[in-house]
Amino acid sequence: MTRRRTKGQDGLTGDLFENLDLPGAAPEPGSGAARETAGQMLGVLDNWVERGWLRTLDAAFARFLWTEAPHSPPLLLLAAALASHQLGRGHVCLDLKATLDDPAFALSLPPDGPQVLAAAPAQPPAEVLAGVTLAQWRAALAMPDLVSEETSATGVAQGNTPLVLAGTRLYLRRYWQYEQDVREGIERRLARAAQLEAALPLDIAHAALDALFAPRNGEARAAQAARAADWQKLACALAARSAFSIVTGGPGTGKTTTVVRLLALLQTLALGHAGRGARAARPLRIRLAAPTGKAAARLNESIAGAVARLPFDTLQAHVDAVALRNAIPTVVSTLHRVLGTRPGSRRFRHDAANPLPVDVLVIDEASMVDLEMMAAVLDALPSSARLILLGDKDQLASVEAGAVLGELCDRAREGHYTQASRAWLEAATGERIDAAMLDVHGLPLDQAIAMLRESHRFASESGIGALAERVNMGDAVGVAKIWARGYEDLARLVCPADDDGPLRSLIVDGRVGEHGAVHAQRQGYRHYLDTMRATRPEPGATPEALSGWAAGVLEAHGAFQLLCALRRGPWGVEGLNRRVARLLHEEGLVDPHGEWYAGRPVLVMHNDYELGLMNGDIGIALELPVAAGEPRVLRVAFPAGDGSGGVKWVSPSRLQSVETVFALTVHKSQGSEFTHAALVLPDTYSPILTRELVYTGITRARSFLTLAVPEGRSVLDRAVLAKVQRASGLMAGLARDAQAA
């Protein structure tokens, strides 16, 4: 891109807007002064691009607006570039007020990885915005050719301008429309709650729920009142009375078990009491989906077991057990497959004109669903269909723009149930909801969300569970106390940049420290590489034997995973992948000469429907056994992805978008669990480090967690105190519309 050079561009130190009559009033269109100040701003944006602070795309968008409207004020061009930049950071919009309060946050400074030195010194955002008020910035956006303003009362923005201003939030129009579509889609389904509740036979629902949730360990009914409420049971009842519902909870709280019982409840009501004879009984058409192939595979594995554990015998009084079992699906697909991708297009085969043939759509790992995808889902759902979201509200949100689940569940912990909701839920379940969770002003959305609160994965003495809870609460003091107390399933390790010893011990054998003891179950990468060699079949082995070997290697690989926060830099995946490969080579475990070698773990970066591989799938390159003198044959083994435990073999030459994955970003690890997870923090703080990222990394560990800190300089405390605040107006719109109703 050619930089437009203007007076004073080199070594800028003053206020860019000193020649403007703020607020927002540019000189006459076409005058030299207007072009000069706008060109000066474009030069600043180009300089930010050179330093890696801003994407080339963001500066190009601002320059495009300037060519379309040469009289654009510099503040408008700056806002446009930042609004575009925010999308790349997961924000739906640019919050003008928040940016003025903390200008560096708008560019996420310091950026991920080493900074690039530019030819000219750069003005930081704080200097560029010095002296600018919110009123001035809003006034600069008063250009109807480029910016439409949302009417606060109706949420409507007329026209087709590239930008939309809603209060202090500036959107690219496409994302503003996605947000409106999601809000309206949710509200339409929430509005059906009264109708669904009236049609729901409370006595049958109560009996079916009692059958699905038998008293714990044979406890008497009277004893149930003395214990905490069964939120799995309450979640099923709550979702049965709404066309839109969310079941959220941390790891091991039973989200999958709950949704399977919910589906059994819905099918029992449909098959056994379809409108009390109003129509012939037929099973509901249910689809199960997840945002990634890995998440779909995990749900496939767990849901079959949950269905097998359903108490079909006790439900026999309400519905034919065989018909019920057949009516509960166990096959999970990716959202892209459910909606039907169109090559070369952002649009899907199923939309409002061609809706999905479903009555119920369940989406697991919904925290990973971005705003654009959620808008597509709601657009493709028939108006009569239910949407059920499952996920952990405290996990990292999607890499793409929007934190839909987290934003919708922001009030979930406190409940905010109305007295009417409480009365109905207690009548349907026999469970008691604490009065502290009541709210006379509870929103319709609150009545559709249930939070599961009891973890079955982490026992009360689990350090992983305790650490995750303290991090999730933003309690840095509590985190320090956990390390001071010590837990068998937690370890902390200092990994200096100039000393390979500690990192070598960790990644090879899972040891904490070069001379640490090897725990029988706390593995490193030696485990899967030894498994690969020790169990390799002889030449001429059957396909079944080869698949069994590969499945064993893949299972062994899941015993350990190195996780990190960043992509670039020595403590990001790029630097760590090179370092780990070298250390394993020095140990004689891999021979990384050339791109492909036995034992190389690879991560699929993009969905490949032809190969049946999804973004996030992990495979292992294996050298097949051949007779002496025959050429070497490498194939990459991936889990089949259908819960069968089978293997999919792929030739390396067919894999066009994979990368080595000795180290995996926490973002990419979502939807996965590892027996031993090692979370590596960088030596300096980055805005990417937040409590959500640390919490997600911690909860990838099933049995053991190691926190690796370079040079002993921990940035953990600062990360625990930093909470993701993604700019969005979704909840504001839902609350506004609820008040208007």
Side-chain angles (χ1 to χ4, degrees):
M1 179 185 299
T2 301
R3 179 186 297 180
R4 184 179 180 83
R5 299 184 64 85
T6 59
K7 180 177 67 176
Q9 182 172 312
D10 294 326
L12 292 174
T13 58
D15 185 351
L16 284 174
F17 314 108
E18 61 186 0
N19 296 323
L20 294 181
D21 183 18
L22 295 173
E28 289 295 319
S31 70
R35 285 184 172 273
E36 184 171 274
T37 52
Q40 194 174 9
M41 175 59 75
L42 293 173
V44 170
L45 298 179
D46 287 345
N47 189 267
W48 288 356
V49 171
E50 290 180 16
R51 289 179 174 267
W53 293 1
L54 197 69
R55 300 179 303 175
T56 302
L57 173 68
D58 309 324
F61 177 59
R63 189 175 296 277
F64 166 75
L65 296 184
W66 178 60
T67 59
E68 295 295 305
H71 55 290
S72 302
L75 278 173
L76 187 151
L77 299 178
L78 174 64
L82 292 179
S84 173
H85 184 66
Q86 298 306 82
L87 292 175
R89 299 179 53 229
H91 299 275
V92 175
C93 57
L94 172 71
D95 189 319
L96 302 179
K97 183 178 184 304
T99 301
L100 291 175
D101 291 342
D102 184 7
F105 177 75
L107 294 181
S108 190
L109 299 179
D112 176 6
Q115 296 189 38
V116 178
L117 294 179
Q123 283 187 298
E127 187 176 323
V128 172
L129 289 168
V132 176
T133 67
L134 180 60
Q136 289 170 342
W137 208 351
R138 279 183 52 86
L141 297 173
M143 290 192 65
D145 291 348
L146 299 179
V147 184
S148 299
E149 187 160 2
E150 179 185 275
T151 304
S152 59
T154 63
V156 174
Q158 300 294 341
N160 193 31
T161 57
L163 298 167
V164 174
L165 181 64
T168 64
R169 301 185 304 276
L170 183 67
Y171 296 80
L172 271 65
R173 176 171 285 275
R174 182 156 59 92
Y175 283 86
W176 174 83
Q177 190 61 58
Y178 291 150
E179 190 170 276
Q180 306 313 302
D181 293 344
V182 170
R183 175 182 57 78
E184 292 169 5
I186 292 173
E187 287 176 341
R188 282 196 300 269
R189 283 171 170 77
L190 292 175
R192 294 175 52 207
Q195 173 190 353
L196 288 172
E197 181 181 316
L200 187 64
L202 187 59
D203 55 337
I204 302 302
H206 187 109
L209 284 166
D210 278 354
L212 288 164
F213 294 88
R216 301 178 185 178
N217 300 321
E219 67 179 344
R221 290 287 179 193
Q224 294 185 48
R227 60 162 170 79
D230 186 340
W231 277 99
Q232 291 189 13
K233 189 175 184 180
L234 285 164
C236 288
L238 182 145
R241 68 195 281 262
S242 180
F244 175 81
S245 56
I246 299 176
V247 179
T248 187
T253 52
K255 295 184 290 293
T256 302
T257 299
T258 301
V259 78
V260 168
R261 293 180 181 180
L262 169 59
L263 297 181
L265 172 63
L266 294 176
Q267 291 290 32
T268 296
L269 295 170
L271 289 170
H273 303 275
R276 301 273 186 166
R279 61 175 170 81
R282 70 164 179 84
L284 298 170
R285 299 167 299 172
I286 299 174
R287 291 293 301 272
L288 307 177
T292 67
K294 181 182 294 183
R298 274 197 61 206
L299 184 58
N300 258 325
E301 294 169 359
S302 59
I303 206 162
V307 171
R309 292 190 297 271
L310 282 173
F312 291 104
D313 54 339
T314 57
L315 290 167
Q316 187 73 47
H318 311 289
V319 65
D320 179 74
V322 175
L324 178 59
R325 183 186 293 271
N326 293 336
I328 300 176
T330 57
V331 176
V332 187
S333 303
T334 64
L335 272 175
H336 285 84
R337 282 194 180 279
V338 170
L339 295 176
T341 55
R342 290 179 174 178
S345 172
R346 300 177 74 100
R347 299 187 61 83
F348 294 97
R349 185 164 53 85
H350 288 289
D351 54 19
N354 180 31
L356 287 164
V358 298
D359 300 305
V360 180
L361 177 63
V362 178
I363 302 177
D364 191 27
E365 296 288 355
S367 63
M368 301 167 67
V369 180
D370 60 84
L371 183 70
E372 181 178 4
M373 177 60 81
M374 191 63 75
V377 167
L378 288 162
D379 186 48
L381 273 181
S383 59
S384 59
R386 297 174 185 260
L387 176 60
I388 302 168
L389 305 181
L390 306 178
D392 185 346
K393 70 181 183 65
D394 298 312
Q395 276 193 188
L396 279 170
S398 65
V399 176
E400 304 300 328
V404 179
L405 186 78
E407 191 172 1
L408 294 177
C409 294
D410 187 55
R411 292 154 54 97
R413 186 174 295 276
E414 297 80 22
H416 296 280
Y417 298 116
T418 63
Q419 185 60 55
S421 291
R422 180 198 197 189
W424 190 92
L425 289 170
E426 291 184 350
T429 65
E431 299 292 323
R432 186 71 178 166
I433 296 178
D434 195 295
M437 304 188 74
L438 297 181
D439 182 355
V440 67
H441 300 297
L443 300 174
L445 176 65
D446 298 324
Q447 318 314 305
I449 300 175
M451 179 175 170
L452 307 183
R453 299 154 194 274
E454 181 182 354
S455 177
H456 304 284
R457 185 205 295 183
F458 301 128
S460 58
E461 66 275 11
S462 166
I464 298 174
L467 181 62
E469 182 180 3
R470 293 294 103 190
V471 167
N472 203 13
M473 295 174 63
D475 182 2
V477 174
V479 168
K481 289 180 179 178
I482 286 173
W483 291 118
R485 171 182 168 178
Y487 288 87
E488 284 192 4
D489 58 350
L490 287 180
R492 194 166 183 167
L493 178 66
V494 175
C495 290
D498 57 355
D499 181 2
D500 284 338
L503 182 62
R504 184 193 302 267
S505 296
L506 173 64
I507 61 105
V508 173
D509 293 311
R511 294 187 304 204
V512 180
E514 190 169 4
H515 303 292
V518 179
H519 193 287
Q521 297 177 349
R522 185 181 286 152
Q523 304 287 355
Y525 284 138
R526 183 193 297 276
H527 176 57
Y528 92 87
L529 292 167
D530 281 352
T531 300
M532 177 183 72
R533 290 179 173 84
T535 61
R536 185 169 179 254
E538 295 296 325
T542 65
E544 291 76 17
L546 292 174
S547 292
W549 166 53
V553 175
L554 289 167
E555 182 180 359
H557 180 265
F560 175 74
Q561 181 62 57
L562 195 65
L563 304 175
C564 48
L566 309 179
R567 282 200 55 82
R568 294 181 292 176
W571 299 107
V573 291
E574 295 175 359
L576 282 171
N577 272 323
R578 290 191 295 268
R579 190 175 176 189
V580 171
R582 174 176 58 80
L583 293 175
L584 293 177
H585 175 58
E586 291 172 0
E587 292 290 319
L589 295 172
V590 297
D591 185 15
H593 291 101
E595 181 182 9
W596 289 99
Y597 51 89
R600 180 194 178 195
V602 294
L603 176 74
V604 176
M605 303 302 293
H606 300 288
N607 293 341
D608 189 327
Y609 293 102
E610 182 180 351
L611 295 178
L613 297 176
M614 298 294 117
N615 183 4
D617 286 350
I618 292 178
I620 309 290
L622 299 176
E623 185 172 347
L624 301 184
V626 295
E630 293 186 3
R632 175 172 173 262
V633 177
L634 270 179
R635 292 290 182 269
V636 184
F638 291 90
D642 57 3
S644 65
V647 172
K648 182 192 300 291
W649 294 97
V650 182
S651 171
S653 63
R654 300 192 66 192
L655 295 171
Q656 303 301 314
S657 183
V658 296
E659 64 180 31
T660 302
V661 69
F662 289 120
L664 178 67
T665 63
V666 174
H667 263 107
K668 287 289 188 180
S669 74
Q670 285 182 265
S672 299
E673 292 178 7
F674 309 97
T675 306
H676 177 197
L679 176 60
V680 180
L681 298 181
D683 54 355
T684 57
Y685 180 75
S686 165
I688 293 173
L689 284 166
T690 62
R691 75 177 64 160
E692 288 84 357
L693 183 141
V694 175
Y695 169 83
T696 303
I698 290 169
T699 54
R700 297 313 91 200
R702 186 185 303 112
S703 303
F704 302 100
L705 173 74
T706 299
L707 180 71
V709 185
E711 304 292 351
R713 297 168 55 187
S714 174
V715 296
L716 179 61
D717 287 353
R718 189 168 176 186
V720 168
L721 296 174
K723 182 173 175 59
V724 170
Q725 297 289 347
R726 287 198 169 180
S728 166
L730 180 58
M731 276 304 298
L734 288 167
R736 176 198 65 208
D737 293 350
Q739 292 173 355

